[in-house]
Amino acid sequence: MSKILITGGAGFIGYHLSRYLLGSGYEIDIVDNFSRAVKDPDLEALISDSRVKAITMDLLEPGALDALPDDYDYIYHLAAIIGVANVFERPYAVLDDNVRLTSTMLAFATRQKNLKRFMFASTSEVYAGTLKHFTLELPSPESTALAVTDLTLPRTSYMLSKIYGEALCNQSPVPTTNFRPHNIYGPRMGMAHVVPELLKKAYTAKPNSAMEVFSVDHKRTFCYID
């Protein structure tokens, strides 16, 4: 049976990914510090399976990964500091911690005996500079050149941490794949996201009343995950 490690595995993507991989016959170790994720009934049901192990761990703590084995076949690195509040209130931590998380996990990956693939969760935010300064073809080919936004802007911290993470993966000796989720939504994501927030506004709106939105001209591509 192949063995998989998922960092940030108790989060939205991690939970659904774990369910899918479990159904495909894999053994799964979930690592999360639970700074955002919650041990709700859905997660409790998932980790009740004998093939799933949930490990509470801060990956940035020195020596934290020493307790983990070296026999993983695949590593999905989803753990990161995310969220609009963090980006605007703690941009330095977002940039520094996300880069350290990725470099730490790549170093851990090099000690695995039979690792087939390291999957790095990047972001659609890496296209923000290209969209702002140039034109962005839609759909966007993977060969699209990336540009950065103003380095003094707090929001740049997140996209830059992911661009740097992609570069680390590309230059590492580990077999890697970078993937860029676009505005994800779906079951168990919580309310602090645009789709559930808009649905809540619509559900609670009074008859014939206006519903306030951020911008009537705003466009996004959404990706449903379950």
Side-chain angles (χ1 to χ4, degrees):
M1 182 184 299
S2 293
K3 192 172 181 180
I4 294 176
L5 173 66
I6 305 176
T7 71
F12 172 53
I13 296 180
Y15 165 76
H16 290 296
L17 177 63
S18 297
R19 286 184 61 216
Y20 174 80
L21 293 172
L22 184 64
S24 300
Y26 292 96
E27 180 181 347
I28 303 164
D29 284 358
I30 292 172
V31 169
D32 209 297
N33 67 358
F34 288 93
S35 60
R36 285 174 59 96
V38 293
K39 287 187 176 180
D40 59 7
D42 290 328
L43 183 64
E44 293 287 1
L46 174 69
I47 63 180
S48 66
D49 192 293
S50 60
R51 293 170 295 164
V52 181
K53 182 189 298 183
I55 305 164
T56 302
M57 177 186 295
D58 184 347
L59 295 172
L60 292 179
E61 285 290 327
L65 290 164
D66 293 348
L68 294 182
D70 57 5
D71 60 348
Y72 291 111
D73 296 282
Y74 300 95
I75 295 175
Y76 288 82
H77 178 43
L78 311 181
I81 298 181
I82 62 173
V84 175
N86 281 321
V87 170
F88 283 98
E89 295 171 11
R90 303 194 300 143
Y92 183 88
V94 169
L95 183 58
D96 186 50
D97 288 359
N98 283 350
V99 169
R100 288 196 295 132
L101 278 168
T102 304
S103 61
T104 296
M105 288 308 304
L106 284 170
F108 174 74
T110 62
R111 86 172 207 218
Q112 301 305 303
K113 294 178 179 178
N114 191 35
L115 186 72
K116 298 178 178 64
R117 179 86 18 197
F118 181 96
M119 305 289 290
F120 174 64
S122 184
T123 174
S124 60
E125 283 283 311
V126 300
Y127 297 110
T130 306
L131 183 62
K132 179 177 178 59
H133 300 299
F134 306 99
T135 57
L136 187 60
E137 181 183 353
L138 297 176
S140 306
E142 292 186 8
S143 58
T144 297
L146 302 181
V148 298
T149 48
D150 187 342
L151 298 184
T152 65
L153 297 176
R155 184 168 178 172
T156 302
S157 62
Y158 180 66
M159 63 97 75
L160 196 57
S161 74
K162 291 297 188 176
I163 289 178
Y164 195 93
E166 287 192 25
L168 283 174
C169 290
N170 292 340
Q171 301 302 327
S172 77
V174 176
T176 61
T177 295
N178 302 319
F179 63 100
R180 301 166 177 167
H182 280 56
N183 299 300
I184 56 174
Y185 74 105
R188 197 186 170 265
M189 76 177 304
M191 294 303 297
H193 303 274
V194 63
V195 169
E197 284 180 350
L198 287 175
L199 289 173
K200 182 180 179 181
K201 282 185 177 182
Y203 182 77
T204 58
K206 295 180 180 180
N208 301 316
S209 64
M211 189 179 82
E212 184 178 344
V213 295
F214 179 75
S215 170
V216 294
D217 299 316
H218 197 74
K219 295 181 181 180
R220 287 191 186 183
T221 296
F222 289 98
C223 177
Y224 180 80
I225 291 180
D226 65 6

